[in-house]
Amino acid sequence: MDLKKRRFAAIIGTGILSLVVLMAASIFGGQIRLDDRMLIQGVGVDVQGEEVLVSVHISQPVEQGEIQLQQVRGTTVLEALNKLVQKSGKTPLYSHNMVVVFGKSCGEDGLEKFLDFFVRYYEARPSVHLFMAQGEAREVFELQKDGKYTDTEDLARIAHSGDANGWTVNTRVIDFVNQLKGEGTSPCLPILAVEEENIQAVGTALFQEDRYCAELSPEESRVLLLVTKYLSGGQLVAQTPQADKVTLTFQSSQVSLESGIQEGVPLFTMKVDCEMAISSMGGLGENGGGQEIFSQLEEAAENQLEESIRQTLDKTLRKYQTDPFGFGRLLFQQQTDWWKQEGEHWKEWMQKAEFSLDVEVRINRVEQELSPLQ
């Protein structure tokens, strides 16, 4: 039998087997009716004493109603979620879940044991978006506006808001696991805060292994996105003697990064190249606009970016010994012999690593003139 015939026979065999299984499920009562399921849209997890409080946004597959909130407790996430059946008599369907929000208490206690269910459970998807709440995750899920709970799709959209504002990292289940278990990397999560009747991203949670240790501001989060090559938008406000508070928009960015070992110490050479456009200006000085102001703005933006990058590197690597940038992984890939000897001590080497930084900004010229139209 040739290859095509074998493949065709395998497909037919698989189809027959699936049909038999479905018929058997129907005959022996194994089939679950659609109206006996509840669609899990989002899950929040908080540590409360010796228990976990799990907040769940649910929708009904048949009724097409509004989002409902269910809250259950247990000694583990799975034990708590199993109580959803006791409360409703319906079986949860987790394949529709879009987001998981962990309370700050989970991060402080070590996130891995709370994440485990969302990694192992057969219906869980590795593309689910992860967040950490600035306070408790329940606050995010309990928030109501005009008598309705927040649409979970809106929470999922926040994960992608960094594409526009350049302030929000996007971490999925698979990303966090790879960062946690990979060589020379530290995980991070976007932070959600509830302010009045709105939910918004307010920074980035940093971790030493799986424990929360610090957070980055939105501006520092932009540096993380830039260096890790995920920055695709956002603004920077620069100022020169001739122009007051000019807002520049990132149009593109390129980062090249090389590692080396100098006298036994890791050395990273970073070249940052950004293309920007002027979005707004607070006003021009007496000398007006023209070509000169572009050069001044480029220099101001370069200095501001370089200072921001260095401050963020000092905060993450030297102060908190966490590496969300993956510099350790670069050493693992490029400096193999050094990593074999020193890789297990990367946390200590973070404080000693040196950086050679070159930042270049190009501002698009619009007819080479910033003066008002005549």
Side-chain angles (χ1 to χ4, degrees):
M1 183 182 296
D2 60 24
L3 182 60
K4 289 184 178 180
K5 290 183 178 179
R6 287 199 301 270
R7 286 179 176 173
F8 180 75
I11 292 171
I12 293 298
T14 302
I16 293 173
L17 178 61
S18 301
L19 182 60
V20 170
V21 170
L22 288 172
M23 291 176 64
S26 178
I27 293 171
F28 296 106
Q31 188 177 18
I32 300 177
R33 292 165 52 89
L34 191 60
D35 55 3
D36 288 335
R37 304 298 298 260
M38 65 175 82
L39 304 184
I40 306 301
Q41 302 282 353
V43 181
V45 183
D46 291 300
V47 177
Q48 294 190 343
E50 298 298 319
E51 294 184 317
V52 292
L53 171 67
V54 180
S55 304
V56 186
H57 274 179
I58 295 169
S59 65
Q60 304 301 330
V62 177
E63 299 172 5
Q64 299 294 319
E66 297 175 357
I67 294 291
Q68 301 174 7
L69 173 67
Q70 292 276 6
Q71 292 179 309
V72 285
R73 296 177 182 272
T75 56
T76 66
V77 173
L78 179 58
E79 182 182 276
L81 288 171
N82 282 338
K83 293 180 180 179
L84 288 173
V85 181
Q86 295 175 270
K87 294 185 70 172
S88 67
K90 296 186 177 184
T91 304
L93 182 64
Y94 293 97
S95 58
H96 284 65
N97 184 34
M98 291 180 280
V99 300
V100 177
V101 182
F102 294 103
K104 189 176 181 179
S105 56
C106 294
E108 293 170 338
D109 200 35
L111 205 62
E112 188 172 7
K113 57 179 170 288
F114 305 107
L115 180 65
D116 186 74
F117 169 79
F118 304 100
V119 175
R120 295 181 186 275
Y121 193 66
Y122 72 95
E123 282 186 356
R125 296 182 298 117
S127 59
V128 170
H129 298 291
L130 297 182
F131 297 91
M132 193 184 85
Q134 194 174 52
E136 293 186 303
R138 67 168 184 83
E139 297 172 346
V140 175
F141 287 82
E142 290 173 353
L143 180 67
Q144 289 183 299
K145 194 169 185 178
D146 298 326
K148 298 180 181 180
Y149 292 108
T150 302
D151 192 327
T152 316
E153 289 186 5
D154 291 339
L155 296 181
R157 290 189 190 101
I158 293 177
H160 296 285
S161 63
D163 296 341
N165 62 30
W167 285 352
T168 309
V169 299
N170 182 5
T171 304
R172 304 165 300 169
V173 170
I174 190 172
D175 300 321
F176 192 93
V177 172
N178 287 340
Q179 292 165 354
L180 179 62
K181 300 300 183 181
E183 290 275 0
T185 59
S186 302
C188 61
L189 290 178
I191 301 174
L192 291 181
V194 177
E195 297 185 0
E196 297 180 353
E197 292 186 347
N198 295 300
I199 301 170
Q200 59 184 7
V202 294
T204 302
L206 303 176
F207 291 79
Q208 286 183 353
E209 296 181 350
D210 71 332
R211 290 183 181 272
Y212 165 77
C213 64
E215 67 180 65
L216 298 179
S217 67
E219 292 76 12
E220 293 167 335
S221 300
R222 180 177 58 203
V223 172
L224 175 58
L225 289 170
L226 174 64
V227 175
T228 53
K229 304 179 182 180
Y230 286 109
L231 184 67
S232 59
Q235 286 75 40
L236 180 147
V237 179
Q239 190 169 353
T240 73
Q242 283 187 302
D244 181 37
K245 294 184 179 179
V246 178
T247 301
L248 304 172
T249 298
F250 287 89
Q251 293 192 318
S252 67
S253 62
Q254 293 183 341
V255 176
S256 63
L257 186 62
E258 296 293 332
S259 67
I261 305 297
Q262 190 175 67
E263 297 181 355
V265 178
L267 171 65
F268 298 95
T269 302
M270 187 186 307
K271 176 71 169 67
V272 179
D273 190 351
C274 296
E275 184 177 333
M276 298 181 173
I278 296 176
S279 298
S280 66
M281 298 185 68
L284 295 175
E286 295 180 358
N287 297 326
Q291 179 65 31
E292 182 180 357
I293 196 173
F294 283 99
S295 299
Q296 292 177 355
L297 282 173
E298 287 171 342
E299 183 178 357
E302 288 168 355
N303 292 337
Q304 189 171 331
L305 263 182
E306 180 173 347
E307 181 181 2
S308 182
I309 291 171
R310 291 193 182 279
Q311 287 178 350
T312 305
L313 293 178
D314 285 342
K315 181 175 182 177
T316 53
L317 299 176
R318 292 185 170 84
K319 185 175 182 178
Y320 292 106
Q321 293 88 59
T322 182
D323 182 13
F325 302 95
F327 292 123
R329 184 159 188 81
L330 190 65
L331 291 171
F332 167 73
Q333 294 171 337
Q334 296 183 354
Q335 310 299 327
T336 308
D337 292 338
W338 185 91
W339 187 263
K340 286 180 180 179
Q341 294 183 351
E342 302 292 345
E344 62 181 322
H345 306 297
W346 173 229
K347 184 177 177 181
E348 289 75 26
W349 279 108
M350 289 182 198
Q351 298 176 296
K352 304 174 184 178
E354 297 292 335
F355 290 86
S356 174
L357 186 57
D358 180 21
V359 178
E360 182 177 348
V361 171
R362 294 189 308 279
I363 297 176
N364 289 334
R365 271 67 167 165
V366 181
E367 297 184 358
Q368 303 292 318
E369 183 60 52
L370 292 180
S371 299
L373 295 174
Q374 301 298 324

PDB file of all heavy atoms in Angstrom, residues 324-345:
ATOM      1  N   PRO A 324      13.869  40.049  33.305  1.00  0.00           N
ATOM      2  CA  PRO A 324      12.776  39.860  32.340  1.00  0.00           C
ATOM      3  C   PRO A 324      13.210  40.086  30.900  1.00  0.00           C
ATOM      4  O   PRO A 324      12.485  39.730  29.971  1.00  0.00           O
ATOM      5  CB  PRO A 324      11.757  40.923  32.775  1.00  0.00           C
ATOM      6  CG  PRO A 324      12.580  42.005  33.379  1.00  0.00           C
ATOM      7  CD  PRO A 324      13.710  41.292  34.074  1.00  0.00           C
ATOM      8  N   PHE A 325      14.404  40.664  30.699  1.00  0.00           N
ATOM      9  CA  PHE A 325      14.910  40.933  29.356  1.00  0.00           C
ATOM     10  C   PHE A 325      15.478  39.683  28.687  1.00  0.00           C
ATOM     11  O   PHE A 325      15.556  39.606  27.467  1.00  0.00           O
ATOM     12  CB  PHE A 325      16.016  41.997  29.409  1.00  0.00           C
ATOM     13  CG  PHE A 325      15.586  43.297  30.014  1.00  0.00           C
ATOM     14  CD1 PHE A 325      15.812  43.560  31.355  1.00  0.00           C
ATOM     15  CD2 PHE A 325      14.962  44.262  29.253  1.00  0.00           C
ATOM     16  CE1 PHE A 325      15.417  44.758  31.930  1.00  0.00           C
ATOM     17  CE2 PHE A 325      14.561  45.464  29.802  1.00  0.00           C
ATOM     18  CZ  PHE A 325      14.786  45.716  31.146  1.00  0.00           C
ATOM     19  N   GLY A 326      15.913  38.713  29.489  1.00  0.00           N
ATOM     20  CA  GLY A 326      16.517  37.509  28.935  1.00  0.00           C
ATOM     21  C   GLY A 326      17.987  37.670  28.602  1.00  0.00           C
ATOM     22  O   GLY A 326      18.498  36.982  27.712  1.00  0.00           O
ATOM     23  N   PHE A 327      18.709  38.542  29.318  1.00  0.00           N
ATOM     24  CA  PHE A 327      20.150  38.687  29.082  1.00  0.00           C
ATOM     25  C   PHE A 327      20.879  37.385  29.416  1.00  0.00           C
ATOM     26  O   PHE A 327      21.837  37.010  28.752  1.00  0.00           O
ATOM     27  CB  PHE A 327      20.723  39.837  29.922  1.00  0.00           C
ATOM     28  CG  PHE A 327      20.243  41.196  29.502  1.00  0.00           C
ATOM     29  CD1 PHE A 327      19.596  42.025  30.395  1.00  0.00           C
ATOM     30  CD2 PHE A 327      20.442  41.642  28.200  1.00  0.00           C
ATOM     31  CE1 PHE A 327      19.152  43.282  30.014  1.00  0.00           C
ATOM     32  CE2 PHE A 327      20.005  42.901  27.808  1.00  0.00           C
ATOM     33  CZ  PHE A 327      19.353  43.718  28.713  1.00  0.00           C
ATOM     34  N   GLY A 328      20.417  36.712  30.475  1.00  0.00           N
ATOM     35  CA  GLY A 328      21.035  35.438  30.833  1.00  0.00           C
ATOM     36  C   GLY A 328      20.874  34.406  29.737  1.00  0.00           C
ATOM     37  O   GLY A 328      21.784  33.611  29.480  1.00  0.00           O
ATOM     38  N   ARG A 329      19.734  34.413  29.085  1.00  0.00           N
ATOM     39  CA  ARG A 329      19.517  33.467  27.984  1.00  0.00           C
ATOM     40  C   ARG A 329      20.463  33.755  26.826  1.00  0.00           C
ATOM     41  O   ARG A 329      20.930  32.843  26.152  1.00  0.00           O
ATOM     42  CB  ARG A 329      18.067  33.514  27.517  1.00  0.00           C
ATOM     43  CG  ARG A 329      17.773  32.477  26.434  1.00  0.00           C
ATOM     44  CD  ARG A 329      16.301  32.158  26.326  1.00  0.00           C
ATOM     45  NE  ARG A 329      16.062  31.037  25.438  1.00  0.00           N
ATOM     46  CZ  ARG A 329      16.187  29.769  25.773  1.00  0.00           C
ATOM     47  NH1 ARG A 329      16.566  29.454  27.002  1.00  0.00           N
ATOM     48  NH2 ARG A 329      15.943  28.807  24.919  1.00  0.00           N
ATOM     49  N   LEU A 330      20.757  35.036  26.603  1.00  0.00           N
ATOM     50  CA  LEU A 330      21.695  35.401  25.547  1.00  0.00           C
ATOM     51  C   LEU A 330      23.090  34.853  25.873  1.00  0.00           C
ATOM     52  O   LEU A 330      23.794  34.359  24.980  1.00  0.00           O
ATOM     53  CB  LEU A 330      21.743  36.924  25.389  1.00  0.00           C
ATOM     54  CG  LEU A 330      22.493  37.449  24.166  1.00  0.00           C
ATOM     55  CD1 LEU A 330      21.790  37.046  22.878  1.00  0.00           C
ATOM     56  CD2 LEU A 330      22.615  38.976  24.237  1.00  0.00           C
ATOM     57  N   LEU A 331      23.480  34.934  27.131  1.00  0.00           N
ATOM     58  CA  LEU A 331      24.760  34.338  27.543  1.00  0.00           C
ATOM     59  C   LEU A 331      24.730  32.826  27.354  1.00  0.00           C
ATOM     60  O   LEU A 331      25.712  32.225  26.901  1.00  0.00           O
ATOM     61  CB  LEU A 331      25.055  34.677  29.002  1.00  0.00           C
ATOM     62  CG  LEU A 331      25.383  36.134  29.330  1.00  0.00           C
ATOM     63  CD1 LEU A 331      25.434  36.336  30.839  1.00  0.00           C
ATOM     64  CD2 LEU A 331      26.714  36.541  28.695  1.00  0.00           C
ATOM     65  N   PHE A 332      23.622  32.209  27.705  1.00  0.00           N
ATOM     66  CA  PHE A 332      23.457  30.765  27.534  1.00  0.00           C
ATOM     67  C   PHE A 332      23.633  30.362  26.073  1.00  0.00           C
ATOM     68  O   PHE A 332      24.217  29.310  25.766  1.00  0.00           O
ATOM     69  CB  PHE A 332      22.072  30.369  28.051  1.00  0.00           C
ATOM     70  CG  PHE A 332      21.631  28.983  27.677  1.00  0.00           C
ATOM     71  CD1 PHE A 332      22.182  27.868  28.274  1.00  0.00           C
ATOM     72  CD2 PHE A 332      20.645  28.799  26.710  1.00  0.00           C
ATOM     73  CE1 PHE A 332      21.766  26.592  27.915  1.00  0.00           C
ATOM     74  CE2 PHE A 332      20.217  27.536  26.357  1.00  0.00           C
ATOM     75  CZ  PHE A 332      20.778  26.421  26.963  1.00  0.00           C
ATOM     76  N   GLN A 333      23.151  31.210  25.156  1.00  0.00           N
ATOM     77  CA  GLN A 333      23.223  30.906  23.728  1.00  0.00           C
ATOM     78  C   GLN A 333      24.568  31.266  23.109  1.00  0.00           C
ATOM     79  O   GLN A 333      25.068  30.542  22.241  1.00  0.00           O
ATOM     80  CB  GLN A 333      22.104  31.654  22.989  1.00  0.00           C
ATOM     81  CG  GLN A 333      20.705  31.193  23.356  1.00  0.00           C
ATOM     82  CD  GLN A 333      19.626  32.082  22.783  1.00  0.00           C
ATOM     83  OE1 GLN A 333      19.860  33.255  22.465  1.00  0.00           O
ATOM     84  NE2 GLN A 333      18.415  31.547  22.646  1.00  0.00           N
ATOM     85  N   GLN A 334      25.160  32.389  23.547  1.00  0.00           N
ATOM     86  CA  GLN A 334      26.367  32.907  22.881  1.00  0.00           C
ATOM     87  C   GLN A 334      27.661  32.631  23.638  1.00  0.00           C
ATOM     88  O   GLN A 334      28.722  32.535  23.022  1.00  0.00           O
ATOM     89  CB  GLN A 334      26.221  34.418  22.657  1.00  0.00           C
ATOM     90  CG  GLN A 334      25.086  34.807  21.707  1.00  0.00           C
ATOM     91  CD  GLN A 334      25.020  36.303  21.464  1.00  0.00           C
ATOM     92  OE1 GLN A 334      25.742  37.102  22.077  1.00  0.00           O
ATOM     93  NE2 GLN A 334      24.148  36.716  20.538  1.00  0.00           N
ATOM     94  N   GLN A 335      27.588  32.536  24.951  1.00  0.00           N
ATOM     95  CA  GLN A 335      28.799  32.323  25.771  1.00  0.00           C
ATOM     96  C   GLN A 335      28.649  30.999  26.518  1.00  0.00           C
ATOM     97  O   GLN A 335      28.573  30.942  27.740  1.00  0.00           O
ATOM     98  CB  GLN A 335      28.998  33.498  26.748  1.00  0.00           C
ATOM     99  CG  GLN A 335      28.934  34.867  26.117  1.00  0.00           C
ATOM    100  CD  GLN A 335      30.019  35.066  25.073  1.00  0.00           C
ATOM    101  OE1 GLN A 335      31.132  34.528  25.202  1.00  0.00           O
ATOM    102  NE2 GLN A 335      29.736  35.838  24.031  1.00  0.00           N
ATOM    103  N   THR A 336      28.633  29.930  25.748  1.00  0.00           N
ATOM    104  CA  THR A 336      28.286  28.611  26.285  1.00  0.00           C
ATOM    105  C   THR A 336      29.241  28.154  27.379  1.00  0.00           C
ATOM    106  O   THR A 336      28.800  27.665  28.437  1.00  0.00           O
ATOM    107  CB  THR A 336      28.273  27.575  25.145  1.00  0.00           C
ATOM    108  OG1 THR A 336      27.443  28.049  24.089  1.00  0.00           O
ATOM    109  CG2 THR A 336      27.730  26.250  25.644  1.00  0.00           C
ATOM    110  N   ASP A 337      30.541  28.292  27.155  1.00  0.00           N
ATOM    111  CA  ASP A 337      31.511  27.819  28.148  1.00  0.00           C
ATOM    112  C   ASP A 337      31.374  28.584  29.462  1.00  0.00           C
ATOM    113  O   ASP A 337      31.417  27.985  30.554  1.00  0.00           O
ATOM    114  CB  ASP A 337      32.936  27.967  27.600  1.00  0.00           C
ATOM    115  CG  ASP A 337      33.206  27.024  26.428  1.00  0.00           C
ATOM    116  OD1 ASP A 337      32.481  26.013  26.316  1.00  0.00           O
ATOM    117  OD2 ASP A 337      34.116  27.307  25.638  1.00  0.00           O
ATOM    118  N   TRP A 338      31.215  29.911  29.361  1.00  0.00           N
ATOM    119  CA  TRP A 338      31.056  30.715  30.577  1.00  0.00           C
ATOM    120  C   TRP A 338      29.782  30.311  31.314  1.00  0.00           C
ATOM    121  O   TRP A 338      29.782  30.191  32.540  1.00  0.00           O
ATOM    122  CB  TRP A 338      31.011  32.206  30.216  1.00  0.00           C
ATOM    123  CG  TRP A 338      30.968  33.132  31.401  1.00  0.00           C
ATOM    124  CD1 TRP A 338      32.021  33.686  32.057  1.00  0.00           C
ATOM    125  CD2 TRP A 338      29.786  33.583  32.101  1.00  0.00           C
ATOM    126  NE1 TRP A 338      31.587  34.467  33.106  1.00  0.00           N
ATOM    127  CE2 TRP A 338      30.220  34.416  33.156  1.00  0.00           C
ATOM    128  CE3 TRP A 338      28.420  33.363  31.937  1.00  0.00           C
ATOM    129  CZ2 TRP A 338      29.333  35.037  34.038  1.00  0.00           C
ATOM    130  CZ3 TRP A 338      27.523  33.971  32.813  1.00  0.00           C
ATOM    131  CH2 TRP A 338      27.980  34.803  33.842  1.00  0.00           C
ATOM    132  N   TRP A 339      28.703  30.100  30.568  1.00  0.00           N
ATOM    133  CA  TRP A 339      27.428  29.774  31.199  1.00  0.00           C
ATOM    134  C   TRP A 339      27.479  28.422  31.901  1.00  0.00           C
ATOM    135  O   TRP A 339      26.864  28.247  32.961  1.00  0.00           O
ATOM    136  CB  TRP A 339      26.298  29.805  30.176  1.00  0.00           C
ATOM    137  CG  TRP A 339      24.943  29.644  30.800  1.00  0.00           C
ATOM    138  CD1 TRP A 339      24.201  28.507  30.923  1.00  0.00           C
ATOM    139  CD2 TRP A 339      24.175  30.676  31.440  1.00  0.00           C
ATOM    140  NE1 TRP A 339      23.026  28.757  31.584  1.00  0.00           N
ATOM    141  CE2 TRP A 339      22.981  30.086  31.908  1.00  0.00           C
ATOM    142  CE3 TRP A 339      24.372  32.039  31.639  1.00  0.00           C
ATOM    143  CZ2 TRP A 339      22.002  30.810  32.574  1.00  0.00           C
ATOM    144  CZ3 TRP A 339      23.392  32.765  32.306  1.00  0.00           C
ATOM    145  CH2 TRP A 339      22.233  32.148  32.762  1.00  0.00           C
ATOM    146  N   LYS A 340      28.181  27.478  31.327  1.00  0.00           N
ATOM    147  CA  LYS A 340      28.291  26.154  31.968  1.00  0.00           C
ATOM    148  C   LYS A 340      28.912  26.272  33.352  1.00  0.00           C
ATOM    149  O   LYS A 340      28.545  25.536  34.277  1.00  0.00           O
ATOM    150  CB  LYS A 340      29.130  25.213  31.098  1.00  0.00           C
ATOM    151  CG  LYS A 340      28.401  24.721  29.850  1.00  0.00           C
ATOM    152  CD  LYS A 340      29.295  23.802  29.031  1.00  0.00           C
ATOM    153  CE  LYS A 340      28.572  23.304  27.781  1.00  0.00           C
ATOM    154  NZ  LYS A 340      29.448  22.428  26.949  1.00  0.00           N
ATOM    155  N   GLN A 341      29.835  27.214  33.516  1.00  0.00           N
ATOM    156  CA  GLN A 341      30.524  27.379  34.796  1.00  0.00           C
ATOM    157  C   GLN A 341      29.774  28.310  35.745  1.00  0.00           C
ATOM    158  O   GLN A 341      29.739  28.082  36.956  1.00  0.00           O
ATOM    159  CB  GLN A 341      31.945  27.911  34.570  1.00  0.00           C
ATOM    160  CG  GLN A 341      32.857  26.940  33.848  1.00  0.00           C
ATOM    161  CD  GLN A 341      34.266  27.480  33.706  1.00  0.00           C
ATOM    162  OE1 GLN A 341      34.536  28.644  34.002  1.00  0.00           O
ATOM    163  NE2 GLN A 341      35.188  26.649  33.248  1.00  0.00           N
ATOM    164  N   GLU A 342      29.181  29.379  35.184  1.00  0.00           N
ATOM    165  CA  GLU A 342      28.624  30.435  36.025  1.00  0.00           C
ATOM    166  C   GLU A 342      27.103  30.610  35.932  1.00  0.00           C
ATOM    167  O   GLU A 342      26.535  31.428  36.650  1.00  0.00           O
ATOM    168  CB  GLU A 342      29.288  31.781  35.676  1.00  0.00           C
ATOM    169  CG  GLU A 342      30.795  31.802  35.820  1.00  0.00           C
ATOM    170  CD  GLU A 342      31.235  31.691  37.274  1.00  0.00           C
ATOM    171  OE1 GLU A 342      30.383  31.888  38.172  1.00  0.00           O
ATOM    172  OE2 GLU A 342      32.416  31.403  37.517  1.00  0.00           O
ATOM    173  N   GLY A 343      26.459  29.861  35.038  1.00  0.00           N
ATOM    174  CA  GLY A 343      25.031  30.076  34.812  1.00  0.00           C
ATOM    175  C   GLY A 343      24.177  29.960  36.059  1.00  0.00           C
ATOM    176  O   GLY A 343      23.229  30.719  36.253  1.00  0.00           O
ATOM    177  N   GLU A 344      24.489  29.004  36.944  1.00  0.00           N
ATOM    178  CA  GLU A 344      23.692  28.825  38.151  1.00  0.00           C
ATOM    179  C   GLU A 344      23.840  30.002  39.111  1.00  0.00           C
ATOM    180  O   GLU A 344      23.050  30.151  40.054  1.00  0.00           O
ATOM    181  CB  GLU A 344      24.070  27.521  38.852  1.00  0.00           C
ATOM    182  CG  GLU A 344      25.504  27.453  39.316  1.00  0.00           C
ATOM    183  CD  GLU A 344      25.810  26.121  39.989  1.00  0.00           C
ATOM    184  OE1 GLU A 344      24.916  25.605  40.710  1.00  0.00           O
ATOM    185  OE2 GLU A 344      26.920  25.607  39.787  1.00  0.00           O
ATOM    186  N   HIS A 345      24.848  30.860  38.872  1.00  0.00           N
ATOM    187  CA  HIS A 345      25.067  32.037  39.712  1.00  0.00           C
ATOM    188  C   HIS A 345      24.671  33.326  38.986  1.00  0.00           C
ATOM    189  O   HIS A 345      25.105  34.407  39.375  1.00  0.00           O
ATOM    190  CB  HIS A 345      26.541  32.125  40.130  1.00  0.00           C
ATOM    191  CG  HIS A 345      27.074  30.894  40.789  1.00  0.00           C
ATOM    192  ND1 HIS A 345      26.575  30.416  41.991  1.00  0.00           N
ATOM    193  CD2 HIS A 345      28.044  30.014  40.399  1.00  0.00           C
ATOM    194  CE1 HIS A 345      27.218  29.313  42.325  1.00  0.00           C
ATOM    195  NE2 HIS A 345      28.108  29.038  41.377  1.00  0.00           N
TER     196      HIS A 345
END
